[in-house]
Amino acid sequence: MPPSSGTSDSDAPRPARPTGWEPRDPTLCPPPPRTPKRRPRRLLRTFFGLLLLGTLLLAGAFAAGYLLVEIPPANSAALAQSNVYLYRDGTTLARDGEVNRENVRLDRVPLTVRQAVLAAEDRDFHTSRAVDPKAMVRAAWNTVTGKGRQSGSTITQQYVKNYYLGQEQTLTRKAKEFFIAIKLGREKSKEDILQGYLNTSYFGRNAYGLQAAARAYYGKDVADLDTAEGAYLASVLKAPSAYDVTTHPENRAKAVARWNYVLDGMVTEGWLSRADRAAARFPTPQTARPATGLSGQRGYLVQAVEEYLTGHGIVDEKTLAGGGFRITTTLEPAKQEALVQAVEEQVMSRLDPANAPADRYVRVGAAAVDPADGKVLALYGGIDYTQQYVNNATRRDYQVGSTFKPFVFTAAVQSGAQTQHGEPITPYTVYDGNNRRPVEGWHGAPYDPSNEDDESYGEIPVGTATDLSVNAVYAQMAVDVGPGHVRRTAVALGLPGSTPDLTASPSIALGPATASVLDMATAYATLAAHGRHGAYSLVEGLSRDGEGLPVPTPESRQAVSREAADTTTAVLRSVVETGTGTAALAAGRPAAGKTGTAEDDKAAWFAGYTPELATVVAVMGQDPESGRQEPLYGALGQPRINGGGTPAEIWAEFTREALAGTAPRAFDLQLMPGAEEMPPLPPLPDASPEASDASAAPDASGPPEASGAPEASGTPETSTAPDAAEDAYERGEAGPGAASRGPRPPRATPGQ
């Protein structure tokens, strides 16, 4: 120890004690450190703050989305529909659009079919909101976890996607779908939404909408679906291609399982009784068929029907192009098939363009009309609409030739006309049939038409002159009757007044007019109907979106007297029985008809009828590349094509098949005075009854351009009083060159 300094430790100075300091109690443990009491509160406060901020942001985003996302116009694909064309019996003829859709009202869909769709897609549709966030989250989770891609969309959302948006899988599209669905759920009823959904959903087989699906899978209208069929169509909505059991038979088990799921769901919801469920059998659909396009004859038929609708003011062109129409035509499938088959056998199967260049030019047009009501029963427009666009049944650019001559005789009987010598014109009235005989009583320039092969017949009765198509006789008869009256009679019978080259001059008798095959069939049907004319019709029924639309019914009227029509029929019977149309006897029925040939053999015609059916057939020559009309010399292995040959043969085969199974009917004729007890006409001269037809036509001008289709001619005037212009023309006091006695009527080539 160090020496003491005289002081002790206790005496050393000590630091000053802080004020308020208390000495530590050595017996106590030191207190634990204090934890701040405010940290948990801070965390909770932060959490709830963030939650509130997120909620506000979501609410703001929702509000912004709701305000900014408007219900857009329907997308073009959703509005696109086909026009559906049906035969008279309701079977499908064609669709004219790429989209196979036909909208229907909800009340046309059977209740159990609607319920089947709900059982498959959205069982709570009528009670739930437009969107189901829980289902969306669940679907997203299942998709992420590999349980399969699911949409979680309600029917309303699916309808929005189909009708307003598109099928792309993007967040932007899903966001729009969400907001539009909410707005739509507030603005539209459940029924409207369900109807829209059923009309826009894709069912496979290129069928959009339930109506198209019913046709594609079961060949029937949606209203005729039963519960089992409706459940199957509801099933395919999930995977149309995979659940098509005829296209993919390997997936039949999956499709049946899905079908059972739908039906069981209907039982669960109380929409189907257990007894009906137990009785249900899986309804195997029909085999998938290629889409019905416009190939073959379908395009020609659709074209003719569309032009009928627009030409008669039933539907305007723009509205028709918008689609959605269901058009029931007057066409009968059996007769249509018979006409196509007759052309195939008599013409198409015989063509050999490699060895016969003229066979490249061959075209055929044909039309069949019911004389009782003017309804068009069959048309033949050409080899194939996708290969040859111009419709040969409705084009107006080929001369009708001597098929026009019956109208001259009808006008003579109708007006009680007399010859230049004051004799009434009857089937037995004798005319001078010598070649190049100038017509008498015409105040225009001299006109002296030539006969076929420059043949002279001397004194010849009208009936025999009709059998032989003696041009000299009929040119004179046209002057005796009055060319203006002949023209008006042709229009009254059914030819449109706007027919090209239907000119009131002596040459009108020889057929320079270029009426269509359908025009001529309508006129001949009037003769078959005892002179009562009903403007032709091609449409029996019309609807759009299930709403029936009015289709005017053409009114029939007495175009010419029954005596005039029936006496003409008696004369035309002789043409078939002993004249140039004997090939028509192969039909095996009483028939009347007339042959005809255009200038330079560019077309050959046969126009004929039985009491039940009037049909006109024309074989035409046209260069497929230039479109120029061409003679048919050498076509079908024949030196010439005349009306009594191939056209009459087509007519006979078609008429025989079209009327098969019905008893032949005799003509019930009321003839003009003096013709009731008509003895047989004199036998034909030695001139060959099979000689070629040739028709009158202006030499100076070629045929007009094709109009492509018949126009609405309205109801032809029935008055037989000549108008002033036609009177002046007949006297040679009007028209070009009137000061020099009028224009010289065009010289016609010989006609038959």
Side-chain angles (χ1 to χ4, degrees):
M1 176 180 295
S4 175
S5 58
T7 59
S8 65
D9 295 337
S10 59
D11 296 331
R14 301 185 180 201
R17 297 177 181 175
T19 304
W21 180 85
E22 295 292 335
R24 180 186 304 172
D25 185 350
T27 63
L28 297 177
C29 297
R34 291 183 180 181
T35 302
K37 294 182 179 180
R38 294 183 180 179
R39 185 173 295 176
R41 293 180 183 176
R42 261 191 218 134
L43 291 175
L44 287 175
R45 198 174 302 138
T46 301
F47 173 77
F48 284 113
L50 292 174
L51 182 63
L52 178 61
L53 179 62
T55 301
L56 291 175
L57 289 175
L58 286 175
F62 179 87
Y66 189 85
L67 292 174
L68 294 176
V69 177
E70 299 289 341
I71 298 178
N75 62 57
S76 58
L79 293 178
Q81 296 185 68
S82 298
N83 287 325
V84 182
Y85 296 81
L86 307 174
Y87 283 111
R88 195 173 188 176
D89 64 359
T91 58
T92 301
L93 188 163
R95 297 178 183 274
D96 71 346
E98 295 180 359
V99 176
N100 181 12
R101 176 188 287 118
E102 181 184 354
N103 291 341
V104 293
R105 295 195 316 267
L106 189 63
D107 59 14
R108 285 190 59 201
V109 181
L111 178 60
T112 57
V113 176
R114 286 180 258 162
Q115 292 168 335
V117 172
L118 297 181
E121 296 296 312
D122 189 353
R123 297 180 185 180
D124 298 327
F125 171 72
H126 285 292
T127 57
S128 64
R129 296 180 178 179
V131 295
D132 186 350
K134 291 182 180 179
M136 296 174 66
V137 172
R138 181 174 62 251
W141 175 255
N142 289 337
T143 300
V144 170
T145 56
K147 295 182 179 180
R149 181 182 292 274
Q150 298 182 16
S151 69
S153 298
T154 64
I155 278 181
T156 303
Q157 288 173 274
Q158 294 182 57
Y159 170 53
V160 167
K161 178 177 65 175
N162 294 339
Y163 191 73
Y164 296 104
L165 301 174
Q167 304 302 315
E168 65 274 9
Q169 297 292 330
T170 64
L171 291 176
T172 301
R173 198 270 296 163
K174 290 294 291 183
K176 289 181 179 179
E177 174 190 305
F178 181 84
F179 290 112
I180 295 172
I182 294 175
K183 286 190 172 184
L184 206 65
R186 297 181 177 218
E187 297 181 12
K188 285 196 173 187
S189 68
K190 291 287 188 179
E191 288 71 21
D192 287 341
I193 293 171
L194 181 59
Q195 174 177 292
Y197 173 74
L198 295 178
N199 282 327
T200 56
S201 296
Y202 182 60
F203 288 82
R205 298 193 180 188
N206 194 37
Y208 290 84
L210 194 55
Q211 170 66 14
R215 287 285 175 188
Y217 285 88
Y218 294 107
K220 59 174 63 175
D221 189 86
V222 65
D224 299 324
L225 291 173
D226 60 30
T227 302
E229 293 165 341
Y232 176 75
L233 294 180
S235 301
V236 301
L237 281 168
K238 181 178 181 181
S241 297
Y243 289 164
D244 188 336
V245 296
T246 60
T247 304
H248 296 283
E250 69 277 9
N251 292 339
R252 184 180 179 89
K254 292 182 179 180
V256 172
R258 178 70 175 170
W259 177 76
N260 284 322
Y261 165 80
V262 173
L263 290 177
D264 292 342
M266 294 178 69
V267 173
T268 301
E269 297 297 323
W271 297 332
L272 184 67
S273 69
R274 294 189 178 277
D276 290 339
R277 168 68 184 92
R281 297 293 179 268
F282 184 76
T284 301
Q286 64 187 13
T287 302
R289 300 174 182 175
T292 302
L294 298 182
S295 61
Q297 294 302 303
R298 290 187 292 267
Y300 300 119
L301 302 181
V302 166
Q303 182 190 68
V305 171
E306 288 182 345
E307 287 165 352
Y308 176 84
L309 289 170
T310 57
H312 287 74
I314 300 172
V315 180
D316 67 84
E317 187 173 355
K318 184 176 181 180
T319 302
L320 185 62
F325 287 94
R326 185 181 181 85
I327 304 160
T328 302
T329 71
T330 60
L331 300 165
E332 296 185 358
K335 290 183 174 60
Q336 180 65 33
E337 178 59 29
L339 184 55
V340 173
Q341 187 62 30
V343 175
E344 175 64 28
E345 291 187 5
Q346 298 297 333
V347 177
M348 298 305 166
S349 64
R350 301 179 181 180
L351 295 177
D352 185 13
N355 297 313
D359 281 356
R360 296 176 54 248
Y361 303 149
V362 174
R363 303 286 182 268
V364 179
V369 175
D370 186 344
D373 51 22
K375 292 181 179 179
V376 181
L377 305 180
L379 289 174
Y380 186 91
I383 184 172
D384 190 312
Y385 184 74
T386 61
Q387 300 178 33
Q388 176 199 323
Y389 180 74
V390 178
N391 193 334
N392 295 330
T394 57
R395 65 191 302 170
R396 290 196 179 105
D397 59 342
Y398 281 87
Q399 298 166 352
V400 301
S402 291
T403 56
F404 191 91
K405 285 176 179 169
F407 307 154
V408 182
F409 182 75
T410 302
V413 180
Q414 169 74 13
S415 62
Q418 298 178 344
T419 68
Q420 297 293 309
H421 305 291
E423 298 176 7
I425 299 176
T426 73
Y428 295 98
T429 302
V430 175
Y431 271 92
D432 183 348
N434 285 317
N435 186 54
R436 304 303 297 267
R437 170 190 175 276
V439 298
E440 299 176 358
W442 170 248
H443 300 295
Y447 181 52
D448 54 349
S450 59
N451 293 330
E452 172 71 10
D453 295 330
D454 291 327
E455 185 76 24
S456 289
Y457 297 95
E459 300 294 309
I460 185 172
V462 167
T464 305
T466 306
D467 290 345
L468 292 172
S469 281
V470 180
N471 290 341
V473 171
Y474 268 88
Q476 182 61 60
M477 192 189 302
V479 174
D480 294 344
V481 177
H485 183 62
V486 171
R487 184 186 187 282
R488 286 190 296 277
T489 300
V491 172
L493 289 171
L495 265 61
S498 58
T499 300
D501 290 337
L502 186 61
T503 304
S505 68
S507 67
I508 192 174
L510 311 186
T514 57
S516 73
V517 170
L518 181 55
D519 295 336
M520 295 298 288
T522 301
Y524 271 71
T526 304
L527 294 175
H530 309 293
R532 191 161 190 83
H533 172 65
Y536 85 90
S537 61
L538 261 170
V539 176
E540 279 200 338
L542 184 68
S543 65
R544 195 181 197 191
D545 295 338
E547 293 285 348
L549 301 174
V551 177
T553 302
E555 295 183 3
S556 64
R557 55 181 178 72
Q558 199 68 36
V560 297
S561 69
R562 176 164 184 169
E563 289 179 351
D566 286 1
T567 305
T568 301
T569 297
V571 172
L572 296 183
R573 287 187 62 187
S574 177
V575 173
V576 172
E577 293 169 2
T578 62
T580 57
T582 54
L585 291 172
R589 292 173 176 270
K594 185 70 185 75
T595 59
T597 304
E599 181 185 20
D600 296 330
D601 286 350
K602 292 176 180 177
W605 297 67
F606 184 80
Y609 52 94
T610 68
E612 311 96 328
L613 187 63
T615 306
V616 175
V617 180
V619 178
M620 310 164 181
Q622 182 177 24
D623 188 306
E625 297 177 0
S626 67
R628 184 177 59 251
Q629 294 186 11
E630 295 287 350
L632 290 169
Y633 302 126
L636 296 171
Q638 303 175 33
R640 302 173 71 180
I641 302 294
N642 59 72
T646 301
E649 291 165 356
I650 295 172
W651 184 95
E653 180 177 338
F654 164 68
T655 302
R656 182 179 64 249
E657 296 301 321
L659 299 179
T662 63
R665 284 173 50 191
F667 287 102
D668 177 19
L669 303 180
Q670 296 179 12
L671 306 181
M672 66 182 297
E676 296 91 343
E677 303 296 333
M678 289 176 56
L681 291 170
L684 295 177
D686 291 337
S688 170
E690 297 299 324
S692 166
D693 301 336
S695 167
D699 290 334
S701 61
E705 294 296 322
S707 63
E711 59 194 321
S713 60
T715 302
E717 295 295 327
T718 59
S719 171
T720 58
D723 58 44
E726 287 174 339
D727 281 346
Y729 193 100
E730 291 176 38
R731 295 192 301 269
E733 298 171 357
S740 58
R741 305 298 296 162
R744 176 182 175 85
R747 175 170 296 176
T749 55
Q752 179 179 357

